[in-house]
């Protein structure tokens, strides 16, 4: 809980100030930036290199902004910064904005942080700033859990978790031991805390510690250094991305942002011609009360997708709408899941339980049931999103190119087509859904084709009342240019693209069962003449996508099922981070879960062998 004391943020829970009233930014810069020698370390980076900072106690983000500001001033073009902030008690939007208003010098950067802040979700978050040069990974959980799940080491630490006497948990020996374990060779740390116990524990964790002069109110501070020097990974410069749907376009964008030359190839003549080609996609985060690995990945993906869309496809009501989304609690079906989900302590900006009355008022149409309301949910036009993502000088599109073989070479990979063309690249990322099975390296994977058909229905005066997306088994979106999208069927092992009247009837029957008022509002369309679209999604058992390095230099982002709009962007970050030796955007457990289909198929291959 945050309080305000003499106009400064103060924690009632811990009885301590977030920062001292009169010291100003110079004191923070002295302790955290100077204490970690960041000026010289940022300036010494080369293009393609990165430096990572971990902070225990992200608080108002002030230290992050100071580090970002310095990085922008002194780091060379092409270098990047990873900042991992750990925070158990995130400030609400108003407190965050009020706290950062105290620092006029940082207003430009603060505004950007605040605009992302409203996208935060419990657990792990990943946002980009400065055209991708600065990556913020926020672990909104207890420090112990965040450190246990941290997937990589860091180069510099800001230890800023209130006074050790007031918040001993943050300075407990196992926490400080983990900080030692999670430090790269040559890592440094800095903190205001000078307690002997902390200093000794950090010494035991492998740091050479020194007590030095503070600045302003704090007369002393601690700094520490681990022996060694971290070798920077050499970044590859060229990549071939196969598949120009959401998975491929997000990967292409993430890699171009990191300075790579990207060839984006697809057998189809245009971007987003497969499952990502529907005229509208629904931003539907389906979570569960148990919050298993899939749910936690979906949640992190949802926050990431919203922030990414804010950057590349702002909600303008034409290419994207943030109209809100209702998941209906249908008795005998979704009711139990939704009751369990709604019982968890969610921040109100993310989701909340609503009864039938409130649900009706929110969506603009009578609902028979309540459910959960996602205020930031809505729809996106996926082909436009794909086009915006790959509108980059370093991305070259090769549409109409069907890659039939991938052959390892001395420098990476050669992709060959049936008609004698080829592309060479240091790295390859396969993002072509179920069609990946045609490549020998993917033939053994349990990739399943799942046909889905949507129906496009002419809006009526009554149906135009629908203001938000409603989901219950299927979904229905508000009218855009006189049409509603209603979907979608789900048929395993069928990859044909014909539009079927029976599938339209199924979509309408689903709507009639769950949202009868909307079904009535649409009148009696003739299903034999209805427009629609069929696409083929790809899934693997367990429903988690497959995001992995298959063999050296060959990666994939596959099996996003019906969730690609949500999960493709974060998956692209996983691949980009792995390829460049940067900080992954997810905790260890989820990174492992993204490779699980690969591991299980390999062990099956072994057993069969
Ligand atoms: N570095 C921050 C800034 O720039 O605004 C100020 C940090 S403030 C002194 C300490 C922060 O540690 C608070 O935001 C508090 O909520 C967080 N914190 C305290 N105990 C924690 C714990 N066990 N796990 C994670 N964060 C914790």
């Amino acid at each position: 809980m945050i309080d305000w004391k003499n106009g400064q943020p103060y924690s009632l829970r811990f009885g301590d100030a977030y920062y001292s009233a009169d010291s100003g930014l110079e004191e923070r810069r002295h302790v955290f930036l100077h204490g970690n020698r960041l000026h010289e370390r940022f300036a010494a980076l080369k293009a393609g290199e990165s430096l990572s900072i971990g902070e225990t106690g992200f608080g108002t983000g002030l230290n992050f902004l100071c580090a970002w500001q310095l990085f922008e001033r002194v780091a060379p073009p092409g270098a990047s910064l990873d900042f991992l902030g750990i925070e158990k008690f995130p400030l609400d939007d108003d407190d965050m904005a009020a706290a950062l208003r105290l620092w006029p010098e940082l207003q430009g950067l603060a505004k950007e942080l605040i605009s992302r802040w409203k996208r935060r979700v419990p657990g792990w978050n990943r946002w980009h700033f400065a055209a991708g040069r600065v990556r913020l990974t926020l672990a909104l959980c207890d420090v112990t859990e965040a450190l246990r799940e941290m997937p990589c080491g860091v180069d510099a630490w800001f230890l800023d978790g209130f006074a050790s006497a007031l918040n001993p948990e943050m300075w407990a020996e196992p926490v400080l031991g983990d900080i030692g374990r999670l430090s790269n060779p040559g890592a440094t740390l800095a903190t205001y805390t000078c307690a002997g116990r902390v200093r000794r524990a950090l010494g035991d964790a492998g740091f050479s510690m020194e007590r030095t002069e503070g600045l302003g109110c704090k007369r002393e501070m601690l700094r520490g250094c681990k022996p060694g020097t971290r070798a920077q990974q050499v970044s590859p410069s060229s990549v071939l991305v196969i598949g120009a749907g959401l998975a491929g376009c997000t990967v292409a964008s993430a890699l171009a942002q990191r300075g790579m030359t990207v060839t984006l190839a697809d057998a189809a003549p245009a971007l987003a011609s497969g499952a990502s080609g529907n005229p509208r996609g629904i931003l539907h985060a389906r979570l569960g009360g148990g919050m298993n690995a899939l749910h936690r990945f979906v949640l992190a993906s949802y926050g990431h997708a919203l922030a990414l869309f804010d950057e590349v496809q702002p909600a303008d009501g034409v290419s994207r709408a943030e109209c809100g989304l209702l998941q209906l609690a249908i008795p005998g079906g979704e009711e139990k899941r939704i009751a369990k989900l709604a019982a968890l302590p969610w921040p109100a900006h993310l989701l909340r339980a609503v009864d039938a009355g409130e649900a009706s008022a929110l969506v603009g149409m009578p609902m028979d049931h309540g459910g959960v309301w996602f205020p930031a949910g809505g729809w996106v036009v996926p082909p436009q999103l794909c086009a915006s993502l790959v509108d980059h000088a370093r991305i070259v599109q090769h549409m109409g190119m069907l890659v039939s073989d991938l052959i390892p070479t001395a420098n990476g990979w050669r992709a060959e087509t049936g008609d004698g063309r080829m592309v060479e690249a240091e790295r390859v990322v396969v993002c072509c859904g179920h069609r990946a099975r045609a490549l020998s390296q993917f033939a053994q994977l349990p990739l399943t084709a799942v046909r889905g058909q949507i129906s496009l229905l002419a809006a009526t005066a009554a149906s135009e009342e629908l203001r938000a997306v409603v989901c219950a088994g299927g979904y229905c979106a508000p009218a855009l240019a006189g049409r509603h999208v209603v979907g979608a069927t789900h048929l395993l092992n069928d990859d044909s693209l014909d539009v079927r009247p029976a599938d339209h009837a199924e979509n309408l029957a689903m709507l009639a069962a769950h949202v009868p008022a909307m079904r009535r509002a649409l009148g009696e369309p003739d299903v034999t003449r209805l427009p629609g679209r069929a696409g083929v999604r790809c899934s693997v058992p367990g429903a988690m996508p497959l995001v992995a390095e298959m063999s050296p230099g060959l990666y994939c982002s596959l099996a996003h099922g019906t969730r690609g709009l949500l999960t493709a962007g974060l998956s692209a970050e996983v691949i980009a981070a792995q390829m460049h030796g940067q900080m992954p955007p997810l905790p260890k457990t989820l990174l492992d879960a993204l490779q699980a289909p690969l591991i299980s198929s390999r062990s099956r291959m072994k057993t069969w062998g």
Side-chain angles (χ1 to χ4, degrees):
M1 209 183 357
I2 195 175
D3 195 19
W4 291 83
K5 217 174 185 178
N6 306 324
Q8 301 287 320
Y10 182 85
S11 169
L12 282 179
R13 187 191 306 267
F14 293 102
D16 201 358
Y18 279 72
Y19 23 73
S20 67
D22 335 292
S23 51
L25 291 180
E26 278 320 306
E27 184 189 292
R28 305 199 79 70
R29 289 185 178 123
H30 175 79
V31 174
F32 296 108
L33 306 187
H34 190 238
N36 279 295
R37 295 186 289 101
L38 289 182
H39 190 129
E40 62 184 83
R41 291 166 82 190
F42 286 163
L45 290 170
K46 298 189 185 68
E49 293 185 347
S50 63
L51 188 138
S52 56
I53 297 175
E55 177 169 55
T56 53
F58 184 77
T60 68
L62 182 61
N63 288 346
F64 164 63
L65 296 183
C66 289
W68 173 7
Q69 187 190 46
L70 178 67
F71 184 82
E72 291 270 51
R73 276 193 198 146
V74 301
S80 63
L81 171 65
D82 268 302
F83 194 103
L84 174 88
I86 299 173
E87 179 55 57
K88 185 174 181 179
F89 308 105
L91 270 60
D92 69 25
D93 292 1
D94 291 345
D95 282 337
M96 188 75 171
L100 292 179
R101 265 198 302 275
L102 297 171
W103 311 103
E105 193 198 320
L106 294 169
Q107 276 323 288
L109 306 187
K111 221 174 120 200
E112 293 192 44
L113 175 60
I114 288 163
S115 78
R116 295 282 174 273
W117 192 248
K118 64 173 190 283
R119 302 312 192 184
R120 69 195 178 282
V121 295
W124 288 58
N125 297 260
R126 164 62 75 98
W127 305 323
H128 285 180
F129 302 95
R133 243 161 85 78
V134 176
R135 296 176 292 271
L136 174 61
T137 307
L138 259 186
L140 298 181
C141 57
D142 186 78
V143 66
T144 315
E145 184 192 335
L147 295 177
R148 189 183 58 232
E149 282 282 359
M150 238 174 101
C152 65
V154 303
D155 300 315
W157 289 98
F158 297 177
L159 306 185
D160 195 16
F162 292 126
S164 58
L166 298 170
N167 187 15
E169 269 176 40
M170 199 71 145
W171 305 94
E173 257 175 53
V175 168
L176 302 178
D178 276 348
I179 285 171
R181 178 179 60 80
L182 291 163
S183 294
N184 291 332
T188 57
L189 69 82
T191 177
Y192 283 116
T193 302
C194 284
R197 185 184 65 75
V198 169
R199 184 180 167 179
R200 283 188 296 279
L202 287 168
D204 291 345
F207 289 94
S208 319
M209 298 298 300
E210 63 169 332
R211 199 195 292 247
T212 64
E213 247 180 70
L215 195 85
C217 308
K218 308 275 179 175
R219 288 214 305 270
E220 288 188 314
M221 58 171 281
L222 279 184
R223 45 196 268 177
C225 185
K226 276 231 156 184
T229 319
R230 174 166 80 97
Q232 288 272 354
Q233 181 173 317
V234 178
S235 281
S237 63
S238 65
V239 61
L240 167 66
V241 178
I242 301 174
L246 282 163
C249 291
T250 48
V251 164
S253 166
L255 295 177
Q257 219 175 44
R258 285 165 173 83
M260 293 185 86
T261 302
V262 182
T263 304
L264 178 63
D266 198 298
L271 293 174
S273 296
S276 307
N278 281 348
R280 277 193 282 165
I282 302 304
L283 204 63
H284 178 194
R286 196 171 183 284
L287 310 170
M291 288 305 286
N292 62 23
L294 175 64
H295 299 139
R296 281 181 281 129
F297 175 64
V298 165
L299 181 61
S301 298
Y302 180 64
H304 176 266
L306 286 167
L308 176 70
F309 299 166
D310 288 346
E311 239 176 280
V312 296
Q313 191 147 320
D316 57 4
V318 178
S319 54
R320 173 181 161 215
E322 195 169 322
C323 51
L325 179 145
L326 176 70
Q327 290 179 10
L328 279 177
I330 303 294
E334 292 286 78
E335 201 180 24
K336 263 198 194 149
R337 174 184 72 86
I338 285 185
K340 268 176 88 180
L341 180 66
L344 298 176
W346 296 102
H349 74 272
L350 184 62
L351 66 92
R352 69 188 154 87
V354 290
D355 62 17
E358 197 182 352
S360 307
L362 287 165
V363 305
M365 200 164 269
M367 292 291 124
D368 295 347
H369 311 288
V372 272
W373 172 248
F374 288 74
W379 53 261
V380 177
V381 177
Q384 270 180 40
L385 176 62
C386 287
S388 311
L389 284 163
V390 301
D391 181 12
H392 193 291
R394 279 193 285 272
I395 301 177
V396 180
Q397 295 179 28
H398 284 244
M399 296 298 110
M401 176 182 267
L402 174 64
V403 173
S404 51
D405 268 313
L406 288 172
I407 299 148
T409 65
N411 297 326
W413 292 85
R414 187 173 67 245
E416 294 183 348
T417 64
D419 58 3
R421 286 180 292 167
M422 58 166 220
V423 176
E424 299 226 344
E426 288 168 65
R427 303 284 188 270
V428 174
V429 191
V430 172
C431 306
C432 52
H434 68 292
R435 294 193 186 282
R437 286 182 309 197
L439 296 165
S440 61
Q441 291 87 350
F442 294 82
Q444 301 295 329
L445 290 178
L447 301 172
T448 304
V450 185
R451 182 191 139 90
Q453 180 175 311
I454 54 160
S455 307
L456 297 168
L457 289 131
T460 64
S463 76
E464 296 258 11
E465 296 295 313
L466 185 74
R467 282 198 297 268
V469 178
V470 182
C471 299
Y475 63 84
C476 178
L480 173 68
R483 271 186 174 176
H484 295 277
V485 177
V486 175
T489 58
H490 200 85
L491 193 59
L492 288 181
N493 296 315
D494 185 342
D495 61 2
S496 43
L497 298 174
D498 54 315
V499 173
R500 301 172 185 167
D503 287 19
H504 284 321
E506 188 182 328
N507 282 336
L508 288 172
M510 230 169 352
L511 188 65
H514 302 320
V515 199
M518 183 61 185
R519 176 65 194 85
R520 284 193 298 276
L522 289 168
E524 285 311 317
D526 175 358
V527 291
T528 61
R529 304 166 71 129
L530 263 189
R533 186 176 187 278
V536 181
R537 316 133 180 162
C538 168
S539 73
V540 287
M544 197 78 180
L546 171 59
V547 181
E549 187 172 12
M550 298 284 299
S551 56
L554 175 62
Y555 301 77
C556 67
S557 173
L558 294 168
H560 293 278
T562 54
R563 304 184 177 89
L565 188 57
L566 227 78
T567 55
L570 192 55
S571 302
E573 277 302 297
V574 170
I575 290 173
Q578 195 178 1
M579 209 182 272
H580 289 265
Q582 296 165 348
M583 181 177 287
L586 285 169
K588 270 194 308 208
T589 322
L590 296 188
L591 292 171
D592 287 348
L594 286 170
Q595 305 191 23
L598 180 64
I599 291 159
S600 55
S601 87
R602 278 197 179 140
S603 58
R604 198 168 44 243
M605 275 150 49
K606 232 188 204 161
T607 321
W608 290 344

